[in-house]
Amino acid sequence: MTQTFEVMAPARRTWREAPAGAGERFRFRRTDGPGLWTVRFDGDAIHLTTGATEEGATAEDASDGGTADPACDVELAGTASDLMLYLWQRIPAERLDEVTGDRAVLDRYFTLVPPV
């Protein structure tokens, strides 16, 4: 996951001349082990914060009652495999374990990180 945000997302943004970010914040939470990635798009920059969640943490534990954490606009939760499949547009968000927050921001992800 980290490589996707540190290497591939910036490359895809450059290759496809993606629009500038406006502070959109996406959180990706792994449900089959520890892993938490928060990505913020500011202008041409991508800011990544990583962390670990306790294995077996629930959506309520990680995001205050099943809604997206105030530090992010949208949170996607799923297995590491499913999160990667989503990021590469191989499965829709509806196939993930949980999606909370602003759907309009979620829909903007692939505008900010266009497919190649």
Side-chain angles (χ1 to χ4, degrees):
M1 295 282 294
T2 300
Q3 181 182 13
T4 296
F5 300 121
E6 290 181 344
V7 178
M8 292 309 301
R12 289 165 60 180
R13 288 180 52 73
T14 299
W15 296 334
R16 297 292 186 174
E17 299 179 10
E24 298 90 340
R25 297 159 301 173
F26 299 83
R27 175 161 298 141
F28 298 88
R29 182 172 46 87
R30 184 176 170 194
T31 58
D32 62 340
L36 188 67
W37 300 264
T38 303
V39 182
R40 188 178 81 241
F41 293 88
D42 284 322
D44 292 332
I46 299 174
H47 303 281
L48 174 65
T49 303
T50 61
T53 57
E54 292 183 29
E55 196 164 334
T58 66
E60 288 184 13
D61 296 334
S63 59
D64 192 25
T67 60
D69 185 295
C72 66
D73 297 306
V74 64
E75 178 178 295
L76 297 91
T79 64
S81 174
D82 283 351
L83 290 172
M84 288 302 297
L85 288 170
Y86 170 77
L87 290 170
W88 287 96
Q89 285 192 301
R90 301 298 187 252
I91 64 170
E94 293 76 24
R95 293 254 322 265
L96 297 172
D97 293 342
E98 185 173 10
V99 178
T100 56
D102 188 339
R103 182 66 194 214
V105 174
L106 174 63
D107 292 342
R108 186 159 159 76
Y109 183 82
F110 292 112
T111 299
L112 292 167
V113 184
V116 291

